[in-house]
Amino acid sequence: MTPDRALDFMNDMLWAAAVIAGPVMLATLLVGLTVSIFQVATQIQEITLSYVPKIVTAGLMLIILGPWMISRLTSFARDLYLTIPALAQ
């Protein structure tokens, strides 16, 4: 295996990880930003007010997008395993 091919595999792995984790992270970021704006506007500095909505949002996103995330991950793994015989050349 050449270094270029290894870097291509690494690039594919990083893009797959970003695409799979992106929607959950983005939803959690938006909820955290909304809660922070609410806390600044109302001057309520309750620590659980910032954590609980983010945890609930992440959990709901994982439940909703879980099948898509698993299929995306298994497709990446399957493609990677199918390239193993070509690496021996």
mmCIF file of all heavy atoms in Angstrom, residues 34-58:
data_model
loop_
_atom_site.group_PDB
_atom_site.id
_atom_site.type_symbol
_atom_site.label_atom_id
_atom_site.label_comp_id
_atom_site.label_asym_id
_atom_site.label_seq_id
_atom_site.Cartn_x
_atom_site.Cartn_y
_atom_site.Cartn_z
ATOM 1 N N THR A 34 -29.230 28.509 21.908
ATOM 2 C CA THR A 34 -30.545 29.029 22.284
ATOM 3 C C THR A 34 -30.689 29.144 23.799
ATOM 4 O O THR A 34 -31.184 30.160 24.310
ATOM 5 C CB THR A 34 -31.652 28.125 21.715
ATOM 6 O OG1 THR A 34 -31.472 28.005 20.301
ATOM 7 C CG2 THR A 34 -33.019 28.663 22.017
ATOM 8 N N VAL A 35 -30.248 28.122 24.517
ATOM 9 C CA VAL A 35 -30.330 28.151 25.982
ATOM 10 C C VAL A 35 -29.430 29.247 26.536
ATOM 11 O O VAL A 35 -29.809 29.953 27.483
ATOM 12 C CB VAL A 35 -29.979 26.769 26.569
ATOM 13 C CG1 VAL A 35 -29.780 26.841 28.065
ATOM 14 C CG2 VAL A 35 -31.062 25.759 26.234
ATOM 15 N N SER A 36 -28.263 29.437 25.955
ATOM 16 C CA SER A 36 -27.361 30.490 26.424
ATOM 17 C C SER A 36 -27.958 31.872 26.216
ATOM 18 O O SER A 36 -27.857 32.733 27.096
ATOM 19 C CB SER A 36 -26.026 30.396 25.693
ATOM 20 O OG SER A 36 -25.374 29.201 26.029
ATOM 21 N N ILE A 37 -28.581 32.079 25.071
ATOM 22 C CA ILE A 37 -29.240 33.374 24.832
ATOM 23 C C ILE A 37 -30.376 33.580 25.818
ATOM 24 O O ILE A 37 -30.553 34.677 26.357
ATOM 25 C CB ILE A 37 -29.738 33.447 23.378
ATOM 26 C CG1 ILE A 37 -28.541 33.537 22.431
ATOM 27 C CG2 ILE A 37 -30.664 34.631 23.165
ATOM 28 C CD1 ILE A 37 -28.891 33.392 20.974
ATOM 29 N N PHE A 38 -31.139 32.517 26.089
ATOM 30 C CA PHE A 38 -32.221 32.606 27.075
ATOM 31 C C PHE A 38 -31.666 32.935 28.463
ATOM 32 O O PHE A 38 -32.236 33.751 29.185
ATOM 33 C CB PHE A 38 -33.001 31.291 27.101
ATOM 34 C CG PHE A 38 -34.057 31.236 28.157
ATOM 35 C CD1 PHE A 38 -35.241 31.936 28.010
ATOM 36 C CD2 PHE A 38 -33.863 30.488 29.314
ATOM 37 C CE1 PHE A 38 -36.222 31.896 28.983
ATOM 38 C CE2 PHE A 38 -34.833 30.448 30.300
ATOM 39 C CZ PHE A 38 -36.015 31.148 30.135
ATOM 40 N N GLN A 39 -30.547 32.307 28.837
ATOM 41 C CA GLN A 39 -29.960 32.568 30.150
ATOM 42 C C GLN A 39 -29.446 34.002 30.256
ATOM 43 O O GLN A 39 -29.579 34.640 31.300
ATOM 44 C CB GLN A 39 -28.813 31.596 30.429
ATOM 45 C CG GLN A 39 -29.277 30.226 30.837
ATOM 46 C CD GLN A 39 -28.115 29.316 31.168
ATOM 47 O OE1 GLN A 39 -27.057 29.397 30.550
ATOM 48 N NE2 GLN A 39 -28.318 28.445 32.133
ATOM 49 N N VAL A 40 -28.871 34.522 29.206
ATOM 50 C CA VAL A 40 -28.380 35.903 29.234
ATOM 51 C C VAL A 40 -29.541 36.874 29.314
ATOM 52 O O VAL A 40 -29.496 37.864 30.047
ATOM 53 C CB VAL A 40 -27.493 36.178 27.995
ATOM 54 C CG1 VAL A 40 -27.237 37.656 27.827
ATOM 55 C CG2 VAL A 40 -26.188 35.417 28.115
ATOM 56 N N ALA A 41 -30.598 36.592 28.565
ATOM 57 C CA ALA A 41 -31.740 37.509 28.542
ATOM 58 C C ALA A 41 -32.487 37.529 29.870
ATOM 59 O O ALA A 41 -32.988 38.573 30.285
ATOM 60 C CB ALA A 41 -32.698 37.119 27.419
ATOM 61 N N THR A 42 -32.556 36.388 30.542
ATOM 62 C CA THR A 42 -33.331 36.321 31.784
ATOM 63 C C THR A 42 -32.457 36.352 33.033
ATOM 64 O O THR A 42 -32.975 36.406 34.138
ATOM 65 C CB THR A 42 -34.186 35.047 31.817
ATOM 66 O OG1 THR A 42 -33.324 33.908 31.757
ATOM 67 C CG2 THR A 42 -35.182 35.030 30.690
ATOM 68 N N GLN A 43 -31.170 36.287 32.878
ATOM 69 C CA GLN A 43 -30.209 36.248 33.973
ATOM 70 C C GLN A 43 -30.448 35.071 34.916
ATOM 71 O O GLN A 43 -30.166 35.151 36.104
ATOM 72 C CB GLN A 43 -30.212 37.565 34.746
ATOM 73 C CG GLN A 43 -29.719 38.721 33.912
ATOM 74 C CD GLN A 43 -29.633 40.003 34.703
ATOM 75 O OE1 GLN A 43 -30.013 40.070 35.856
ATOM 76 N NE2 GLN A 43 -29.108 41.037 34.066
ATOM 77 N N ILE A 44 -30.941 33.972 34.363
ATOM 78 C CA ILE A 44 -31.066 32.723 35.128
ATOM 79 C C ILE A 44 -29.788 31.929 34.878
ATOM 80 O O ILE A 44 -29.501 31.555 33.754
ATOM 81 C CB ILE A 44 -32.294 31.911 34.672
ATOM 82 C CG1 ILE A 44 -33.566 32.688 34.910
ATOM 83 C CG2 ILE A 44 -32.332 30.571 35.386
ATOM 84 C CD1 ILE A 44 -34.803 32.007 34.346
ATOM 85 N N GLN A 45 -29.012 31.663 35.910
ATOM 86 C CA GLN A 45 -27.743 30.963 35.757
ATOM 87 C C GLN A 45 -27.809 29.579 36.391
ATOM 88 O O GLN A 45 -26.922 29.179 37.142
ATOM 89 C CB GLN A 45 -26.613 31.802 36.369
ATOM 90 C CG GLN A 45 -26.399 33.129 35.703
ATOM 91 C CD GLN A 45 -26.098 33.001 34.222
ATOM 92 O OE1 GLN A 45 -25.400 32.094 33.789
ATOM 93 N NE2 GLN A 45 -26.644 33.907 33.419
ATOM 94 N N GLU A 46 -28.829 28.850 36.083
ATOM 95 C CA GLU A 46 -28.977 27.487 36.587
ATOM 96 C C GLU A 46 -28.149 26.557 35.702
ATOM 97 O O GLU A 46 -28.288 26.535 34.483
ATOM 98 C CB GLU A 46 -30.448 27.067 36.555
ATOM 99 C CG GLU A 46 -30.722 25.677 37.042
ATOM 100 C CD GLU A 46 -30.373 25.470 38.502
ATOM 101 O OE1 GLU A 46 -30.454 26.431 39.276
ATOM 102 O OE2 GLU A 46 -29.998 24.345 38.853
ATOM 103 N N ILE A 47 -27.270 25.763 36.311
ATOM 104 C CA ILE A 47 -26.345 24.919 35.548
ATOM 105 C C ILE A 47 -27.076 23.797 34.820
ATOM 106 O O ILE A 47 -26.700 23.429 33.709
ATOM 107 C CB ILE A 47 -25.229 24.373 36.466
ATOM 108 C CG1 ILE A 47 -24.100 23.752 35.643
ATOM 109 C CG2 ILE A 47 -25.766 23.366 37.450
ATOM 110 C CD1 ILE A 47 -23.278 24.755 34.905
ATOM 111 N N THR A 48 -28.130 23.261 35.411
ATOM 112 C CA THR A 48 -28.839 22.167 34.753
ATOM 113 C C THR A 48 -29.638 22.657 33.552
ATOM 114 O O THR A 48 -29.962 21.873 32.666
ATOM 115 C CB THR A 48 -29.798 21.463 35.728
ATOM 116 O OG1 THR A 48 -30.704 22.424 36.264
ATOM 117 C CG2 THR A 48 -29.047 20.799 36.847
ATOM 118 N N LEU A 49 -29.930 23.935 33.501
ATOM 119 C CA LEU A 49 -30.668 24.483 32.371
ATOM 120 C C LEU A 49 -29.858 24.396 31.081
ATOM 121 O O LEU A 49 -30.420 24.314 29.997
ATOM 122 C CB LEU A 49 -31.053 25.941 32.653
ATOM 123 C CG LEU A 49 -31.967 26.610 31.631
ATOM 124 C CD1 LEU A 49 -33.297 25.871 31.556
ATOM 125 C CD2 LEU A 49 -32.179 28.049 31.986
ATOM 126 N N SER A 50 -28.559 24.356 31.199
ATOM 127 C CA SER A 50 -27.744 24.262 29.986
ATOM 128 C C SER A 50 -27.448 22.815 29.593
ATOM 129 O O SER A 50 -27.299 22.523 28.412
ATOM 130 C CB SER A 50 -26.442 25.025 30.169
ATOM 131 O OG SER A 50 -25.663 24.437 31.180
ATOM 132 N N TYR A 51 -27.380 21.900 30.551
ATOM 133 C CA TYR A 51 -27.016 20.526 30.236
ATOM 134 C C TYR A 51 -28.199 19.658 29.824
ATOM 135 O O TYR A 51 -28.085 18.873 28.885
ATOM 136 C CB TYR A 51 -26.305 19.860 31.423
ATOM 137 C CG TYR A 51 -24.916 20.381 31.635
ATOM 138 C CD1 TYR A 51 -24.569 21.017 32.805
ATOM 139 C CD2 TYR A 51 -23.951 20.250 30.647
ATOM 140 C CE1 TYR A 51 -23.298 21.512 33.000
ATOM 141 C CE2 TYR A 51 -22.674 20.739 30.828
ATOM 142 C CZ TYR A 51 -22.359 21.357 32.011
ATOM 143 O OH TYR A 51 -21.098 21.850 32.193
ATOM 144 N N VAL A 52 -29.292 19.752 30.511
ATOM 145 C CA VAL A 52 -30.426 18.857 30.261
ATOM 146 C C VAL A 52 -30.980 18.993 28.841
ATOM 147 O O VAL A 52 -31.165 17.974 28.168
ATOM 148 C CB VAL A 52 -31.520 19.059 31.345
ATOM 149 C CG1 VAL A 52 -32.763 18.270 31.000
ATOM 150 C CG2 VAL A 52 -30.989 18.663 32.705
ATOM 151 N N PRO A 53 -31.234 20.186 28.327
ATOM 152 C CA PRO A 53 -31.743 20.258 26.941
ATOM 153 C C PRO A 53 -30.757 19.712 25.913
ATOM 154 O O PRO A 53 -31.166 19.087 24.931
ATOM 155 C CB PRO A 53 -31.970 21.748 26.719
ATOM 156 C CG PRO A 53 -32.104 22.332 28.060
ATOM 157 C CD PRO A 53 -31.234 21.507 28.945
ATOM 158 N N LYS A 54 -29.464 19.905 26.145
ATOM 159 C CA LYS A 54 -28.485 19.377 25.202
ATOM 160 C C LYS A 54 -28.443 17.858 25.232
ATOM 161 O O LYS A 54 -28.335 17.221 24.180
ATOM 162 C CB LYS A 54 -27.100 19.950 25.494
ATOM 163 C CG LYS A 54 -26.985 21.413 25.113
ATOM 164 C CD LYS A 54 -25.559 21.899 25.140
ATOM 165 C CE LYS A 54 -25.148 22.247 26.533
ATOM 166 N NZ LYS A 54 -23.839 22.881 26.626
ATOM 167 N N ILE A 55 -28.541 17.268 26.406
ATOM 168 C CA ILE A 55 -28.550 15.807 26.520
ATOM 169 C C ILE A 55 -29.800 15.229 25.883
ATOM 170 O O ILE A 55 -29.747 14.226 25.163
ATOM 171 C CB ILE A 55 -28.423 15.382 28.001
ATOM 172 C CG1 ILE A 55 -27.034 15.708 28.521
ATOM 173 C CG2 ILE A 55 -28.723 13.901 28.174
ATOM 174 C CD1 ILE A 55 -26.861 15.510 29.997
ATOM 175 N N VAL A 56 -30.944 15.863 26.133
ATOM 176 C CA VAL A 56 -32.195 15.402 25.533
ATOM 177 C C VAL A 56 -32.141 15.524 24.011
ATOM 178 O O VAL A 56 -32.556 14.609 23.286
ATOM 179 C CB VAL A 56 -33.398 16.181 26.123
ATOM 180 C CG1 VAL A 56 -34.665 15.905 25.353
ATOM 181 C CG2 VAL A 56 -33.577 15.837 27.591
ATOM 182 N N THR A 57 -31.612 16.618 23.521
ATOM 183 C CA THR A 57 -31.496 16.812 22.072
ATOM 184 C C THR A 57 -30.579 15.771 21.446
ATOM 185 O O THR A 57 -30.908 15.188 20.408
ATOM 186 C CB THR A 57 -30.963 18.218 21.768
ATOM 187 O OG1 THR A 57 -31.849 19.181 22.312
ATOM 188 C CG2 THR A 57 -30.817 18.437 20.282
ATOM 189 N N ALA A 58 -29.443 15.526 22.068
ATOM 190 C CA ALA A 58 -28.520 14.520 21.539
ATOM 191 C C ALA A 58 -29.172 13.143 21.537
ATOM 192 O O ALA A 58 -29.037 12.386 20.569
ATOM 193 C CB ALA A 58 -27.231 14.510 22.350
#
